[in-house]
Amino acid sequence: MPSSTSTSRPLKWFGWVLFGSLAALVVLEMIMRILPVSTSTATGYYVDPLILSYPKYHEFTAATGWTLANAHVHRANNYGFVAGVDFARDPRSIGLVGDSYIEASMLPAEERLGTQLQQLTTPRRVFELGAPGTSALDYVERVRFAAETFGTLDFVLFMEKGDLKQMLCGSGNNAAPCLDAETLQERVVRQ
């Protein structure tokens, strides 16, 4: 007949393994929250049901690769965009719309397109409306939003070669509006 100590040993061992595994997961989670990322994963539909942005005043650190090189701390503005200024109603503003080239999370603020355009157009304010991984149809939604919300009348759209192909649903580069790959009919597919 087995003794009670021999049956409690496996239970005790299992408890320690479970505790050690959970402790390791907690430590790894804390480390992952501290390390910089290529771009923030906290995007969502915070300002408009068709526009991806960050939470208001969200702060994150972005870096290149596993070596964590070229790290930069970014802070979203009052509308959830990585921009040099808070947005407010200003019909004289210029909307700079595009993808990750506008957000430019791997560049210091003074080297970004928005800052350079701001220096050329002072005293007019430049509103940087960039969002990584988006396409030309998403740009149209940001133009609509800025015109309605801020009264912006002038826009600079920064297009890159793949923006038109990326408008197709399922390309992985749509925030919401996209074109059906077979019929080319507009659809809304939110992330």
Side-chain angles (χ1 to χ4, degrees):
M1 177 177 246
S3 69
S4 64
T5 55
S6 65
T7 56
S8 68
R9 236 184 252 151
L11 286 176
K12 198 178 218 183
W13 177 83
F14 178 74
W16 281 110
V17 168
L18 183 63
F19 174 76
S21 299
L22 289 174
L25 284 175
V26 168
V27 168
L28 283 173
E29 178 68 20
M30 290 178 0
I31 290 170
M32 293 302 170
R33 288 180 182 257
I34 293 169
L35 293 175
V37 294
S38 60
T39 190
S40 176
T41 57
T43 57
Y45 299 92
Y46 300 106
V47 297
D48 187 275
L50 299 177
I51 296 174
L52 279 179
S53 66
Y54 301 110
K56 184 175 168 179
Y57 300 119
H58 175 63
E59 193 171 290
F60 64 98
T61 303
T64 306
W66 290 104
T67 61
L68 307 178
N70 194 27
H72 295 282
V73 176
H74 301 288
R75 185 170 187 254
N77 69 3
N78 60 330
Y79 278 87
F81 291 94
V82 175
V85 297
D86 276 350
F87 298 162
R89 187 152 189 88
D90 182 357
R92 289 181 27 96
S93 65
I94 299 170
L96 178 58
V97 180
D99 58 7
S100 58
Y101 286 104
I102 302 305
E103 183 174 294
S105 61
M106 292 299 130
L107 293 176
E110 62 274 4
E111 292 181 23
R112 293 189 202 133
L113 290 175
T115 304
Q116 294 176 33
L117 183 59
Q118 180 66 65
Q119 291 169 352
L120 294 171
T121 60
T122 300
R124 295 178 71 184
R125 293 174 25 167
V126 173
F127 293 164
E128 298 164 82
L129 297 151
T134 55
S135 71
L137 288 176
D138 298 309
Y139 304 169
V140 171
E141 290 301 324
R142 279 180 256 147
V143 166
R144 173 198 53 82
F145 175 77
E148 291 173 357
T149 308
F150 313 124
T152 305
L153 300 172
D154 298 326
F155 292 90
V156 174
L157 272 69
F158 188 88
M159 303 281 292
E160 55 111 354
K161 191 167 108 176
D163 282 341
L164 297 178
K165 187 169 67 172
Q166 293 169 353
M167 292 189 308
L168 297 176
C169 297
S171 72
N173 291 77
N174 314 106
C178 60
L179 299 178
D180 186 275
E182 292 180 19
T183 66
L184 296 182
Q185 295 294 313
E186 187 173 353
R187 291 182 21 208
V188 173
V189 180
R190 291 169 42 125
Q191 290 184 4

